[in-house]
Structures are given as C-alpha cells and as structure tokens.
Amino acid sequence: MKRLLLFVMMCASISLVFAQKKGDKVSKVITSEIKWWGHKVVKTKASSHYGSLKLKSGKFNFDKTVLVDGEFVIDMRSLVVADVSGDDQVKLTNELKGTNFFEVKKFPTAKFHLKKIIPLANSEYNSTIVGDITIKNIRKTISFPANAHITQFTVEIESSKFSLNRKDFKIFYQNSLKDYFIKDEMDIQFKLSTQKVDNERPL
C-alpha cells in the first residue's frame, strides 16, 4: 500500500513538472479585432454579409523567452452584423446566434489554441500560424498566413483573411433549401497585440 501511494505521488510530481514546463511567463492580449464574412453562392453586395466578434480573453505562454503557445477565447455572444441596420440587423444577428448557426446559448464561446508560428518567406506575410480552433465543441486543426512580430514577451499578430468550412462545425440550416444558397466557406481575419510580461508562474 505504501509503495502504491509513493508511486501515485511520484506520478503527480512528474505531471506537475511537465505542466509548469509549458511556460513560466504569460503575456496577455490587451487589444484585439476580429472580423467575419459570410456569402451567398452568388456573390453580390446584397447577398454578402460581414461583421465582428470580440475576444473574451487571450494570452501567450513563454518558457523563459521562447514562445510556447497561445490560448484565446472568443465571445460568440458578441457577434455583430455590420452591413445592415434596423430590423434587418436584428433579424440576421438573431438567426446567426440561433440553432441553425452558432447556437450561442449552448456554445457561448469558441476557442483557438495557437501551437506554432512558422517563419514564411513571403513578401506579404512573414509567418504561418498553426493551431486548433474549437467551435460548438468541434475542434479542427487549421493554418493560415499572418504577419507576426515577437519582441521579448510582446506579441503582435495580424492574420490574412482565411476561410473555415462552416459545415465542419455543424453550422447549417436543418432540412432547408436555404442552406444550398450559402457558401460553405466563412472568412475570418483578426489582429491582436499584448502587453509586456510582468508575472511568473509559481514553482
């Protein structure tokens, strides 16, 4: 029994060490902007919509001065449609937040876990961002070009406009012909910046 207890304690200690190795410093996002676009199959001004979302929280984890990863939570309840106003805006916003699309009452947040920033030899974008995005509890690995600048613990990222397939996240009309008139691809673009690290994780 004593040997079993000792083994359990050793495993717990090892797990704690690995958890702490994830990063000893945290740099928090202080400014952010997220834009989205959705399109009908026939792209015209009247059949394309766009708007914004807000970041609920965001941070980058560092091990000493090396960026380990990033963790970001998007407030899906903050979704705004920007290209229409009045009753049309209210109707479309409620529809996008409803059960046929993002179901924000059931899934109030989406998440993005940044895993890698890969240098990219390109005149327009200097990096490829690789990570896992979770929408409606469905996780997919994605990658996209971006301009990323890291100085000590300060991070600035501005992404390209990139696409997600809405059907990968079960975002579609149920048993309705309306769904055939909506493009599967929805476009996203974001930019964010952090403040300098001023805290350390306890040992």
Side-chain angles (χ1 to χ4, degrees):
M1 187 66 174
K2 288 183 179 180
R3 289 183 179 179
L4 178 60
L5 181 60
L6 180 61
F7 177 74
V8 170
M9 291 177 65
M10 287 176 63
C11 289
S13 299
I14 292 170
S15 298
L16 182 60
V17 168
F18 277 108
Q20 291 175 345
K21 277 295 182 181
K22 183 179 180 181
D24 57 4
K25 293 181 180 291
V26 175
S27 181
K28 294 183 180 179
V29 174
I30 55 170
T31 62
S32 62
E33 181 181 46
I34 306 171
K35 297 178 181 179
W36 61 264
W37 291 263
H39 310 282
K40 295 286 184 69
V41 172
V42 179
K43 280 192 174 183
T44 65
K45 186 176 180 180
S47 63
S48 296
H49 295 288
Y50 61 87
S52 63
L53 288 160
K54 291 182 179 180
L55 195 68
K56 185 175 182 179
S57 64
K59 64 180 182 179
F60 293 89
N61 297 310
F62 287 83
D63 183 8
K64 296 181 180 178
T65 59
V66 178
L67 178 63
V68 177
D69 64 0
E71 300 169 9
F72 311 93
V73 179
I74 302 162
D75 183 2
M76 297 305 298
R77 294 169 297 186
S78 70
L79 187 149
V80 171
V81 179
D83 63 289
V84 292
S85 59
D87 291 341
D88 290 337
Q89 184 185 45
V90 173
K91 181 180 178 181
L92 182 55
T93 299
N94 289 338
E95 192 168 19
L96 291 174
K97 291 181 177 182
T99 56
N100 288 314
F101 289 91
F102 292 103
E103 296 187 77
V104 300
K105 288 185 178 179
K106 186 176 180 180
F107 306 103
T109 61
K111 296 180 181 179
F112 179 63
H113 177 205
L114 187 153
K115 297 162 70 176
K116 295 179 184 177
I117 298 180
I118 304 171
L120 183 65
N122 188 293
S123 59
E124 186 174 4
Y125 298 103
N126 65 17
S127 303
T128 296
I129 305 293
V130 180
D132 294 332
I133 190 164
T134 303
I135 302 174
K136 297 176 69 171
N137 279 355
I138 300 170
R139 185 177 64 184
K140 298 289 181 182
T141 298
I142 62 171
S143 63
F144 50 87
N147 282 318
H149 302 283
I150 304 170
T151 307
Q152 287 292 325
F153 303 107
T154 301
V155 182
E156 294 181 355
I157 295 178
E158 183 169 358
S159 79
S160 63
K161 184 189 286 189
F162 61 94
S163 297
L164 299 175
N165 190 316
R166 63 187 177 88
K167 290 186 176 178
D168 286 344
F169 305 95
K170 297 184 179 180
I171 300 170
F172 49 78
Y173 282 104
Q174 301 288 337
N175 302 319
S176 174
L177 290 175
K178 290 182 180 180
D179 201 65
Y180 291 99
F181 296 98
I182 304 173
K183 287 198 70 175
D184 290 345
E185 292 77 21
M186 52 185 184
D187 297 331
I188 306 290
Q189 188 174 30
F190 71 87
K191 59 181 177 180
L192 55 83
S193 61
T194 70
Q195 64 184 1
K196 190 174 181 180
V197 171
D198 60 1
N199 62 305
E200 291 193 13
R201 294 184 176 180
L203 297 176

